[in-house]
Amino acid sequence: MPKGAGTIQALKVSQWLKDWDQVQFSPKEHRRKPEPYFYLFSLQASELRSLCGISRRSTNRMTARAADLGIQREHDQERSDEIGRFVEFGYPWSTLTEAKRNSDEFHDLRKPGWLPTAIVVNIIGKGEMRRGVALAPQDAVQIQDIGNVTTIALPNGKLGDSWRSSSIPPFEVIDGQHRLWSFSESNETDFQLPVVAFNNLDISWQAYLFWTINIKPKRINPSLAFDLYPLLRAEDWLDRAEGHPVYRETRAQELTEAMWSHEKSPWYDRINMLGEKSTTGVTQAAWIRTLMATFVKPWHGRGSRIGGLFGSRLEGDNEVLGWTRAQQAAFLIFAWSAFKQAVINSNDFWAVDLRQTAIKSENATVKAAAEAAFYGNHSLISTDQGVRGFLHVLNDLCFYSASRLELRNWQADRAGSASDANAVSIALTSLGKTKVALYVNALVSSLVSFDWRSSSAPGLPSEERRAKLVFRGGSGYKELRAQLLEHLSRTDSDIGNAAKRVAA
């Protein structure tokens, strides 16, 4: 196709079996019945990128420029850079150091860097919404079918490298965004890419396509796939598949290890990672179970309207919070750090009582006494039930208030895993500047006035001791969560109102 032309000639590929009509299609679950065909065509890489909106940037919100690529997929710039070097002169030249690539000595290693695998995109239909924004009529793509040959008319009948949509872009990438982003905006090459384009494909089918393309044939790490396409975290059909539980367990374990290993975490070296009876602290297994019951909980379509912030579609939305693993770890560390500081600074009767009890102990250091209300043997906070209670309330209220807190506006300044200490530290710094940070600080300020003493606390009246025994055992999780929500609901604030709605 000539550069700047206004139409694309595409081949219409009919691909539908009669038996597929028996598949359970559901617009309510974002799986409406798809068209029985897709399109094949080629397009200059830079022009395809502009149609997909990958080069589009926003400066009216706090968004890292390299990460502002749409919320379904996270972009790894290093991966795109590697592909860009491959396109330039193939393999193994692309793997050499910069000094060697610039040296005449290795010119014999240069080869063509073909990219014959198609970029898979979805053509957004008229009236479709993404993140509450509708596709503008002037940005819509017009499709005209004549037999097996199709003409796709581009927005405004023209297209160039600098074209930008006035609303949302008309194309969205299902698979291949790193190949597409490997071409810089200043790249004037006529390098074309093959494209497979679906027409107005519902969002769950897009997740399904990504899964089948990247997981089934290649068997890449399932946890990595869920990072690349967060929507997969909320697919109910994956709850019964092998990969989805693996994702949740792997992610919960990774977040637990981050809480244990990051120096800024209040739980640094305080989690019983091996489950040893002689070692103090909540066990790693208990942390993993708690995260799977809270933040990494699957979608909320079966009996509960509150899902996991890291594993469910947000309320009233088609999509899932696209935070990276480093962001997820940073959020948990930030919240626990804020809670710990609030407890240490608290003059509430229960906190003062636990500190005074610790001071009377012959073995307590000054530091241990000051932190007794948080870490002490008589504090619920440092128990399995306390960890789950706090994380339940933190998840529930943030999930319920996600839209108002503009959680999606917090983007990663650096892609990384939860075990990448530098990426987590960078995320911690940027998180402190967000609206959700203020909300978390207000939440812990309200939670600190709850009586977090356990039934073993010395000096408790018999009636209070009996009342606190309900927090022991498996039923204690539910009871503590309910009492925390009831406590917060008495607060005359947005947090109190949210707690009432969540409890209801």
Side-chain angles (χ1 to χ4, degrees):
M1 170 185 151
K3 182 178 178 180
T7 59
I8 303 171
Q9 296 300 310
L11 179 65
K12 183 178 180 181
V13 180
S14 295
Q15 198 172 88
W16 193 264
L17 297 179
K18 191 173 182 179
D19 290 344
W20 294 358
D21 291 326
Q22 301 173 24
V23 173
Q24 294 182 354
F25 301 105
S26 173
K28 182 180 179 182
E29 303 300 338
H30 316 291
R31 289 195 296 271
R32 61 174 175 262
K33 189 173 182 178
E35 300 287 354
Y37 48 79
F38 54 79
Y39 302 106
L40 288 174
F41 57 87
S42 66
L43 190 62
Q44 184 174 307
S46 58
E47 294 186 333
L48 177 60
R49 192 184 62 237
S50 66
L51 274 171
C52 294
I54 291 184
S55 62
R56 211 158 49 89
R57 290 294 182 270
S58 172
T59 57
N60 60 3
R61 63 177 191 260
M62 194 183 70
T63 304
R65 302 282 72 79
D68 188 13
L69 305 173
I71 80 134
Q72 290 181 14
R73 291 154 290 276
E74 181 205 347
H75 178 247
D76 183 349
Q77 185 60 49
E78 291 183 4
R79 186 178 171 197
S80 285
D81 291 342
E82 181 182 354
I83 295 174
R85 293 193 297 271
F86 171 81
V87 170
E88 189 175 1
F89 278 120
Y91 180 87
W93 185 89
S94 60
T95 64
L96 300 176
T97 64
E98 184 177 4
K100 290 183 178 180
R101 294 197 306 272
N102 293 332
S103 170
D104 295 340
E105 182 182 354
F106 298 94
H107 282 184
D108 60 320
L109 296 181
R110 293 179 174 182
K111 294 176 177 62
W114 287 305
L115 294 177
T117 307
I119 307 294
V120 183
V121 303
N122 177 52
I123 301 174
I124 298 178
K126 293 181 180 179
E128 286 288 293
M129 306 277 290
R130 293 294 183 268
R131 297 182 62 185
V133 180
L135 177 66
Q138 66 270 25
D139 293 332
V141 168
Q142 306 295 326
I143 301 175
Q144 182 178 9
D145 292 323
I146 304 176
N148 285 334
V149 178
T150 297
T151 299
I152 300 177
L154 302 175
N156 296 323
K158 61 181 180 179
L159 180 64
D161 298 351
S162 60
W163 182 86
R164 298 293 181 269
S165 60
S166 58
S167 56
I168 58 175
F171 286 9
E172 54 191 353
V173 181
I174 296 174
D175 185 65
Q177 64 132 336
H178 288 94
R179 278 169 280 157
L180 195 52
W181 190 239
S182 66
F183 296 87
S184 66
E185 294 183 358
S186 60
N187 196 334
E188 296 296 333
T189 180
D190 290 330
F191 196 100
Q192 293 191 355
L193 292 170
V195 181
V196 168
F198 287 81
N199 184 23
N200 202 21
L201 195 63
D202 216 343
I203 197 160
S204 280
W205 290 125
Q206 294 187 46
Y208 172 75
L209 263 177
F210 181 88
W211 177 266
T212 55
I213 291 170
N214 289 285
I215 299 295
K216 296 308 293 180
K218 302 179 183 180
R219 303 302 301 174
I220 67 172
N221 186 321
S223 189
L224 174 61
F226 282 91
D227 245 13
L228 297 175
Y229 208 112
L231 180 62
L232 288 169
R233 303 171 192 168
E235 291 302 288
D236 60 319
W237 51 269
L238 278 174
D239 284 341
R240 298 187 299 276
E242 175 186 357
H244 202 54
V246 169
Y247 154 71
R248 294 200 303 271
E249 292 169 6
T250 302
R251 183 54 50 88
Q253 192 281 328
E254 188 177 15
L255 292 172
T256 299
E257 188 167 338
M259 296 294 297
W260 170 75
S261 63
H262 199 281
E263 292 184 352
K264 292 185 179 180
S265 168
W267 301 109
Y268 175 66
D269 202 26
R270 287 180 177 270
I271 297 175
N272 186 352
M273 297 298 285
L274 300 180
E276 297 170 316
K277 293 183 179 180
S278 59
T279 304
T280 59
V282 177
T283 66
Q284 176 178 211
W287 271 90
I288 291 174
R289 288 194 298 268
T290 286
L291 285 168
M292 291 182 68
T294 57
F295 279 85
V296 199
K297 186 165 62 173
W299 79 306
H300 56 283
R302 290 184 295 277
S304 173
R305 299 185 64 188
I306 299 294
L309 196 65
F310 302 159
S312 298
R313 288 191 181 95
L314 299 182
E315 186 69 25
D317 206 331
N318 291 349
E319 295 169 331
V320 178
L321 192 62
W323 285 355
T324 67
R325 289 170 286 174
Q327 285 179 282
Q328 293 174 11
F331 180 79
L332 295 177
I333 292 173
F334 179 90
W336 275 113
S337 298
F339 189 31
K340 175 188 173 184
Q341 195 58 50
V343 170
I344 290 176
N345 295 338
S346 173
N347 289 320
D348 287 277
F349 69 96
W350 71 271
V352 173
D353 181 51
L354 290 183
R355 286 195 289 266
Q356 290 178 344
T357 299
I359 290 172
K360 295 175 184 177
S361 172
E362 296 179 0
N363 299 325
T365 64
V366 174
K367 186 174 186 295
E371 297 176 341
F374 191 86
Y375 295 123
N377 295 331
H378 306 301
S379 172
L380 270 175
I381 297 172
S382 59
T383 67
D384 187 358
Q385 286 79 3
V387 168
R388 185 171 300 195
F390 175 72
L391 289 181
H392 249 312
V393 171
L394 177 66
N395 174 79
D396 292 352
L397 267 64
C398 289
F399 184 91
Y400 178 81
S401 306
S403 177
R404 186 173 61 82
L405 295 176
E406 301 174 354
L407 299 185
R408 290 199 181 99
N409 288 358
W410 177 44
Q411 297 282 348
D413 294 312
R414 166 177 165 173
S417 67
S419 59
D420 185 339
N422 289 333
V424 173
S425 296
I426 292 171
L428 275 169
T429 300
S430 63
L431 175 59
K433 305 173 185 177
T434 65
K435 183 179 292 188
V436 69
L438 297 175
Y439 188 82
V440 168
N441 283 323
L443 173 60
V444 299
S445 294
S446 298
L447 282 175
V448 79
S449 58
F450 181 81
D451 185 353
W452 288 92
R453 291 176 297 179
S454 69
S455 60
S456 66
L460 274 181
S462 298
E463 186 175 346
E464 289 187 38
R465 188 182 307 281
R466 285 193 298 269
K468 288 185 175 295
L469 287 174
V470 299
F471 299 139
R472 302 181 67 177
S475 61
Y477 302 128
K478 184 177 181 181
E479 183 62 32
L480 182 55
R481 180 189 190 188
Q483 288 198 26
L484 289 174
L485 288 172
E486 182 182 359
H487 176 79
L488 291 172
S489 66
R490 303 191 194 107
T491 305
D492 185 17
S493 64
D494 290 341
I495 288 174
N497 294 331
K500 291 175 186 176
R501 297 296 297 273
V502 168

mmCIF file with all atom_site columns, all heavy atoms in Angstrom, residues 4 90 103 109 123 251 383:
data_model
loop_
_atom_site.group_PDB
_atom_site.id
_atom_site.type_symbol
_atom_site.label_atom_id
_atom_site.label_alt_id
_atom_site.label_comp_id
_atom_site.label_asym_id
_atom_site.label_entity_id
_atom_site.label_seq_id
_atom_site.pdbx_PDB_ins_code
_atom_site.Cartn_x
_atom_site.Cartn_y
_atom_site.Cartn_z
_atom_site.occupancy
_atom_site.B_iso_or_equiv
_atom_site.pdbx_formal_charge
_atom_site.auth_seq_id
_atom_site.auth_comp_id
_atom_site.auth_asym_id
_atom_site.auth_atom_id
_atom_site.pdbx_PDB_model_num
ATOM 1  N N   . GLY A 1 4   ? 0.507   6.978   2.849  1.00 0.00 ? 4   GLY A N   1
ATOM 2  C CA  . GLY A 1 4   ? -0.443  8.072   2.867  1.00 0.00 ? 4   GLY A CA  1
ATOM 3  C C   . GLY A 1 4   ? -1.748  7.771   2.170  1.00 0.00 ? 4   GLY A C   1
ATOM 4  O O   . GLY A 1 4   ? -2.644  8.590   2.141  1.00 0.00 ? 4   GLY A O   1
ATOM 5  N N   . GLY A 1 90  ? 19.277  -8.460  11.753 1.00 0.00 ? 90  GLY A N   1
ATOM 6  C CA  . GLY A 1 90  ? 19.062  -9.861  12.036 1.00 0.00 ? 90  GLY A CA  1
ATOM 7  C C   . GLY A 1 90  ? 19.859  -10.417 13.201 1.00 0.00 ? 90  GLY A C   1
ATOM 8  O O   . GLY A 1 90  ? 20.467  -9.697  13.993 1.00 0.00 ? 90  GLY A O   1
ATOM 9  N N   . SER A 1 103 ? 31.421  -1.743  15.122 1.00 0.00 ? 103 SER A N   1
ATOM 10 C CA  . SER A 1 103 ? 32.740  -2.119  14.612 1.00 0.00 ? 103 SER A CA  1
ATOM 11 C C   . SER A 1 103 ? 32.621  -2.815  13.257 1.00 0.00 ? 103 SER A C   1
ATOM 12 O O   . SER A 1 103 ? 31.719  -3.618  13.027 1.00 0.00 ? 103 SER A O   1
ATOM 13 C CB  . SER A 1 103 ? 33.434  -3.050  15.615 1.00 0.00 ? 103 SER A CB  1
ATOM 14 O OG  . SER A 1 103 ? 34.602  -3.605  15.062 1.00 0.00 ? 103 SER A OG  1
ATOM 15 N N   . LEU A 1 109 ? 28.311  -10.643 10.152 1.00 0.00 ? 109 LEU A N   1
ATOM 16 C CA  . LEU A 1 109 ? 27.198  -11.259 10.876 1.00 0.00 ? 109 LEU A CA  1
ATOM 17 C C   . LEU A 1 109 ? 25.857  -10.639 10.528 1.00 0.00 ? 109 LEU A C   1
ATOM 18 O O   . LEU A 1 109 ? 24.813  -11.084 11.012 1.00 0.00 ? 109 LEU A O   1
ATOM 19 C CB  . LEU A 1 109 ? 27.429  -11.134 12.397 1.00 0.00 ? 109 LEU A CB  1
ATOM 20 C CG  . LEU A 1 109 ? 28.648  -11.868 12.962 1.00 0.00 ? 109 LEU A CG  1
ATOM 21 C CD1 . LEU A 1 109 ? 28.712  -11.675 14.471 1.00 0.00 ? 109 LEU A CD1 1
ATOM 22 C CD2 . LEU A 1 109 ? 28.588  -13.360 12.630 1.00 0.00 ? 109 LEU A CD2 1
ATOM 23 N N   . ILE A 1 123 ? -10.330 -4.149  15.050 1.00 0.00 ? 123 ILE A N   1
ATOM 24 C CA  . ILE A 1 123 ? -10.887 -2.887  14.552 1.00 0.00 ? 123 ILE A CA  1
ATOM 25 C C   . ILE A 1 123 ? -12.062 -2.534  15.456 1.00 0.00 ? 123 ILE A C   1
ATOM 26 O O   . ILE A 1 123 ? -13.060 -3.259  15.517 1.00 0.00 ? 123 ILE A O   1
ATOM 27 C CB  . ILE A 1 123 ? -11.353 -3.022  13.095 1.00 0.00 ? 123 ILE A CB  1
ATOM 28 C CG1 . ILE A 1 123 ? -10.166 -3.428  12.203 1.00 0.00 ? 123 ILE A CG1 1
ATOM 29 C CG2 . ILE A 1 123 ? -11.960 -1.715  12.604 1.00 0.00 ? 123 ILE A CG2 1
ATOM 30 C CD1 . ILE A 1 123 ? -10.561 -3.722  10.761 1.00 0.00 ? 123 ILE A CD1 1
ATOM 31 N N   . ARG A 1 251 ? 1.759   -15.498 41.512 1.00 0.00 ? 251 ARG A N   1
ATOM 32 C CA  . ARG A 1 251 ? 1.770   -14.069 41.831 1.00 0.00 ? 251 ARG A CA  1
ATOM 33 C C   . ARG A 1 251 ? 1.721   -13.839 43.331 1.00 0.00 ? 251 ARG A C   1
ATOM 34 O O   . ARG A 1 251 ? 2.430   -12.979 43.864 1.00 0.00 ? 251 ARG A O   1
ATOM 35 C CB  . ARG A 1 251 ? 0.591   -13.387 41.136 1.00 0.00 ? 251 ARG A CB  1
ATOM 36 C CG  . ARG A 1 251 ? 0.517   -11.864 41.330 1.00 0.00 ? 251 ARG A CG  1
ATOM 37 C CD  . ARG A 1 251 ? 1.803   -11.151 40.925 1.00 0.00 ? 251 ARG A CD  1
ATOM 38 N NE  . ARG A 1 251 ? 2.260   -11.551 39.623 1.00 0.00 ? 251 ARG A NE  1
ATOM 39 C CZ  . ARG A 1 251 ? 1.883   -10.992 38.490 1.00 0.00 ? 251 ARG A CZ  1
ATOM 40 N NH1 . ARG A 1 251 ? 1.014   -10.007 38.506 1.00 0.00 ? 251 ARG A NH1 1
ATOM 41 N NH2 . ARG A 1 251 ? 2.366   -11.402 37.342 1.00 0.00 ? 251 ARG A NH2 1
ATOM 42 N N   . THR A 1 383 ? -0.627  -11.532 63.404 1.00 0.00 ? 383 THR A N   1
ATOM 43 C CA  . THR A 1 383 ? -1.149  -12.893 63.290 1.00 0.00 ? 383 THR A CA  1
ATOM 44 C C   . THR A 1 383 ? -1.701  -13.132 61.895 1.00 0.00 ? 383 THR A C   1
ATOM 45 O O   . THR A 1 383 ? -1.911  -12.196 61.112 1.00 0.00 ? 383 THR A O   1
ATOM 46 C CB  . THR A 1 383 ? -2.267  -13.141 64.312 1.00 0.00 ? 383 THR A CB  1
ATOM 47 O OG1 . THR A 1 383 ? -3.407  -12.331 63.974 1.00 0.00 ? 383 THR A OG1 1
ATOM 48 C CG2 . THR A 1 383 ? -1.805  -12.811 65.719 1.00 0.00 ? 383 THR A CG2 1
#
